[in-house]
Amino acid sequence: MPTLEKMIAGFSAATADISEDFRLWLTSMPSPSFPVAVLQNGIKLTNEPPKGIRANLLRSIADLGSDDYEGSTKPRVWKKLIFGLGFFHAVVQERRKFGPLGWNIRVRRVWLR
């Protein structure tokens, strides 16, 4: 990380040598070891997942576009497949906030008589 910080500082000092089309994209989780100078000199973007299963499903279908959604020789089967995959994806994304509960912990069932 210190090497990255030195490189970024060199970019801002020698702007004449850098092309106008140059872009540096960095992806990072929040970390105390990430250089503060890099964050201060850049533009920050965040991509938050939609809240709730319905919003996630609508976003997935909206990202497809009408050509992808309608452009099939078997539209009925294709739409069902897209909906099923989108719904499954939305459920998995929503379950992330619960951690490991329900995914790998065996539940003991008790039958009432």
Side-chain angles (χ1 to χ4, degrees):
M1 295 313 276
T3 307
L4 175 66
E5 188 172 11
K6 289 176 188 174
M7 288 173 60
I8 299 298
F11 288 162
S12 60
T15 54
D17 296 339
I18 298 175
S19 171
E20 292 271 334
D21 297 330
F22 175 76
R23 301 291 183 268
L24 176 65
W25 291 85
L26 298 173
T27 302
S28 173
M29 297 291 291
S31 171
S33 63
F34 199 86
V36 177
V38 174
L39 290 174
Q40 290 174 342
N41 291 331
I43 298 172
K44 276 75 72 192
L45 300 172
T46 58
N47 186 11
E48 297 289 330
K51 302 275 186 205
I53 292 175
R54 183 174 188 264
N56 198 323
L57 182 59
L58 288 174
R59 182 176 174 184
S60 294
I61 292 174
D63 285 347
L64 281 177
S66 62
D67 291 340
D68 296 328
Y69 194 64
E70 299 288 340
S72 175
T73 57
K74 297 182 180 183
R76 185 174 176 171
V77 176
W78 178 247
K79 288 178 182 179
K80 286 182 179 184
L81 178 68
I82 292 296
F83 179 81
L85 286 173
F87 188 76
F88 177 71
H89 178 262
V91 169
V92 170
Q93 291 287 26
E94 194 67 21
R95 286 293 303 159
R96 282 190 314 165
K97 65 176 130 179
F98 297 106
L101 294 176
W103 292 112
N104 59 0
I105 297 174
R106 189 171 187 166
V107 178
R108 183 175 167 219
R109 295 183 184 199
V110 178
W111 296 96
L112 300 175
R113 293 182 186 203

